[in-house]
Amino acid sequence: MLEIQRIRNEKEAVITGLKKRNFDATEVVDSLLGIDLQWRNSKTELESISAELNILAKEIGELFKQGKQAEATAAKAKTADLKEKEAVLKTTVEGLDTQIIQLLYQLPNVPNEIVPAGKSELDNVNVLEVGTKRIFDFEAAPHWDICKKFDLIDFELGVKITGAGFPVYKGKGAKLQRALISFFLEEADKAGYQEFIPPLVVNEASGYGTGQLPDKEGQMYYINEDDLYLIPTAEVPLTNIYRDVILPSEDFSIKMTGYTPCFRREAGSYGKDVRGLNRLHQFDKVEIVRIEHPSNAEKALEEMVDHVKGLLEKLGLHYRILRLCGGDTGFASALTYDFEVYSAAQEKWLEVSSVSMFNTFQSTRLKLRFKTNDKKTQLCHTLNGSALALPRIVASLLENHQTPEGVVIPEALRKFTGFDMIN
RNA sequence: GGAGAGAUGGCAGAGCGGUUGAAUGCACCGGUCUUGAAAACCGGCGUACUGUGAGGUAUCGGGGGUUCGAAUCCCUCUCUCUCCGCCA
């Protein structure tokens, strides 16, 4: 959520910035400012009436104490009219209040200066490509065939137990999962991220904190009986650790990591994109989350990008980094880098990580702040990224590292898998 | 699932209709003292909105009510804890 103060102060900049998303904010901003003005006026009026009532109440109390019953009763009569006015104004102010929140919820984050304007993924900017397409001297198999051949992942069995999008990992397939998780966590640990094992279900307040609610509830599994949500990413529980927190000084840099399964309903997805590991309802992911001083956020983003690069390079994968254009950048993000790995057999790029900087968009709702040196409270900046999501990494590992004899495990993973070949 | 207790500032913990935004202790910050530190003493110390400012308003888990006036009384919801049962 954008701060109303920002819209008051930088109206034009907000509108111009949002244009890069192809979002015409003029109407929303205008009505927002109009309502905001009304709100402030009504609120001021309401407060002065409340102030008057407070004074009267004190006086009446004083009169009763002094035993001046008659005077007190007379004073009481005066309050009736004010109370009525107060009640009316209170309703008005509350109404305007909800209108403001509703409008604010409609506005996505203002993109960073370096975000290119654009409508879709076609306008994303390729900022780096590492590696080259592998040339096969045999018929390269897609990962779902490899999984079947070596009995690594059983999609049909998942359908039997649960449904589509809930695969069963078996044998070396299961070990590979565990190895990747350990590898990613160890790398995060080395980079200074503190490891957490958070709950996999969260309450409504947490959903609002990171912005999954109110809009995206359809994407989360919901447990009606207990009013809880299955997490779509570890970002939700990890970031919400710092909901309603005021950090005591300017001197902070919070780096968290956590492995969790992630649950996504993926309502509306269909077609070939859902084949094999490309899109699942339950998948594993190691997430990195950072809470930073505004002045350090951009540097943090760079570090996170470098971290993810390191992971992909250690796995020997051919990847590229895209700076997302305005239209493709997520609602809450100000700047996002997507990492895509080339899937040799499917002959397409698969998104394996998304690293985003949210500025104060999340911390506004989270009420996550810090104390400045002159004792003021200021909003923190939040960032997060996948480091990494497993399924598509597994898909590309299997496809890119396949040989006629089997799949070669990258050097960096071997100490975690305990084997160097899937055959 | 059954029974009970409770939710007050960073923490502990008073208050139980009227100068209470809230005693007291601890923690924290500033100062005095000290070569320095500790101790002692003095002062400060929640958050948010609003106002150029003095200030004003709200806030004692959330919502509603009674009252001139509520942290204090009533209703309701949520959450936490304890005991019993059940399960691991």
Side-chain angles (χ1 to χ4, degrees):
Chain A
M1 182 163 86
L2 292 175
E3 295 157 82
I4 183 75
Q5 291 88 345
R6 179 167 177 195
I7 294 167
R8 275 182 213 148
N9 301 332
E10 308 168 23
K11 173 187 168 184
E12 291 310 322
V14 168
I15 291 175
T16 320
L18 288 177
K19 275 196 184 133
K20 285 203 281 188
R21 289 181 177 270
N22 288 307
F23 187 97
D24 185 2
T26 320
E27 208 173 298
V28 176
V29 167
D30 280 340
S31 54
L32 203 43
L33 289 176
I35 294 168
D36 180 53
L37 190 65
Q38 270 178 273
W39 177 81
R40 280 188 290 171
N41 288 338
S42 307
K43 179 120 174 161
T44 311
E45 203 181 331
L46 169 65
E47 287 182 356
S48 65
I49 289 176
S50 303
E52 230 177 299
L53 277 168
N54 286 344
I55 291 167
L56 276 172
K58 262 184 199 157
E59 284 173 3
I60 292 167
E62 201 54 41
L63 290 172
F64 272 123
K65 256 191 206 161
Q66 293 168 12
K68 299 177 181 169
Q69 297 290 336
E71 282 178 55
T73 314
K76 265 198 210 180
K78 287 204 298 195
T79 62
D81 184 41
L82 282 171
K83 278 181 76 174
E84 210 172 294
K85 274 192 202 159
E86 189 191 36
V88 172
L89 273 166
K90 209 173 162 189
T91 320
T92 310
V93 169
E94 275 165 14
L96 293 169
D97 230 340
T98 40
Q99 280 187 59
I100 289 171
I101 299 276
Q102 291 303 321
L103 287 168
L104 282 175
Y105 275 147
Q106 290 177 31
L107 294 176
N109 204 350
V110 178
N112 186 279
E113 308 85 71
I114 65 167
V115 170
K119 287 184 183 156
S120 71
E121 64 218 28
L122 299 172
D123 299 312
N124 295 337
V125 177
N126 195 338
V127 291
L128 178 74
E129 180 166 342
V130 174
T132 49
K133 286 181 192 172
R134 186 175 157 199
I135 312 293
F136 292 91
D137 52 9
F138 58 94
E139 179 82 12
H143 68 269
W144 46 86
D145 287 346
I146 301 173
C147 286
K148 192 147 211 164
K149 184 173 171 193
F150 298 114
D151 200 21
L152 303 174
I153 302 175
D154 194 328
F155 294 96
E156 288 77 16
L157 196 50
V159 171
K160 174 185 171 185
I161 301 170
T162 307
F166 293 91
V168 176
Y169 302 85
K170 297 157 80 174
K172 281 188 174 175
K175 287 200 171 99
L176 179 60
Q177 291 291 116
R178 192 151 49 84
L180 282 165
I181 293 162
S182 301
F183 169 63
F184 294 148
L185 283 174
E186 189 176 283
E187 291 294 314
D189 181 65
K190 279 193 218 159
Y193 292 86
Q194 190 189 7
E195 185 178 344
F196 286 83
I197 301 181
L200 306 181
V201 280
V202 294
N203 58 27
E204 196 180 39
S206 294
Y208 276 96
T210 31
Q212 278 68 31
L213 298 175
D215 284 339
K216 286 165 242 163
E217 60 255 271
Q219 289 300 325
M220 288 192 287
Y221 287 97
Y222 174 59
I223 305 163
N224 189 46
E225 204 172 3
D226 297 299
D227 199 17
L228 296 170
Y229 297 85
L230 261 59
I231 58 168
T233 158
E235 164 198 346
V236 180
L238 289 183
T239 313
N240 272 284
I241 291 173
Y242 284 91
R243 170 156 48 85
D244 285 318
V245 167
I246 300 177
L247 300 166
S249 79
E250 300 210 18
D251 184 27
F252 66 93
S253 175
I254 293 161
K255 301 167 78 174
M256 298 180 280
T257 187
Y259 150 69
T260 67
C262 301
F263 302 91
R264 298 187 182 178
R265 295 188 61 231
E266 300 291 359
S269 300
Y270 56 90
K272 63 180 175 221
D273 277 354
V274 303
R275 184 100 192 252
L277 292 166
N278 289 353
R279 192 175 293 278
L280 301 174
H281 288 304
Q282 179 183 326
F283 63 94
D284 295 302
K285 180 161 65 65
V286 172
E287 183 80 0
I288 49 177
V289 173
R290 297 184 63 152
I291 294 165
E292 296 288 342
H293 191 280
S295 66
N296 197 45
E298 295 200 11
K299 183 169 156 262
L301 183 68
E302 248 171 71
E303 288 172 8
M304 293 167 83
V305 166
D306 284 342
H307 180 71
V308 175
K309 275 160 74 177
L311 297 177
L312 293 171
E313 278 159 33
K314 282 177 186 158
L315 294 176
L317 293 171
H318 169 207
Y319 71 94
R320 67 177 184 184
I321 304 177
L322 303 173
R323 182 185 300 134
L324 298 191
C325 73
D328 209 24
T329 300
F331 191 82
S333 173
L335 174 57
T336 297
Y337 287 103
D338 267 12
F339 284 72
E340 296 186 335
V341 161
Y342 193 73
S343 159
Q346 297 180 70
E347 294 184 344
K348 66 177 187 188
W349 292 96
L350 299 177
E351 182 193 330
V352 291
S353 175
S354 193
V355 181
S356 300
M357 182 167 93
F358 300 94
N359 296 343
T360 59
F361 201 82
Q362 288 188 323
S363 56
T364 312
R365 282 202 223 174
L366 285 164
K367 297 199 181 70
L368 164 54
R369 293 156 293 175
F370 65 94
K371 279 270 186 231
T372 62
N373 291 334
D374 54 347
K375 301 279 167 71
K376 297 223 166 75
T377 55
Q378 197 181 327
L379 291 164
C380 300
H381 281 203
T382 60
L383 305 94
N384 65 52
S386 9
L388 286 162
L390 293 233
R392 294 181 194 152
I393 287 291
V394 170
S396 54
L397 278 178
L398 296 177
E399 293 181 13
N400 289 306
H401 296 333
Q402 62 182 305
T403 67
E405 291 74 44
V407 180
V408 179
I409 300 295
E411 187 63 45
L413 268 185
R414 290 182 191 168
K415 77 177 222 208
F416 299 104
T417 52
F419 52 86
D420 54 14
M421 191 82 181
I422 295 173
N423 50 18

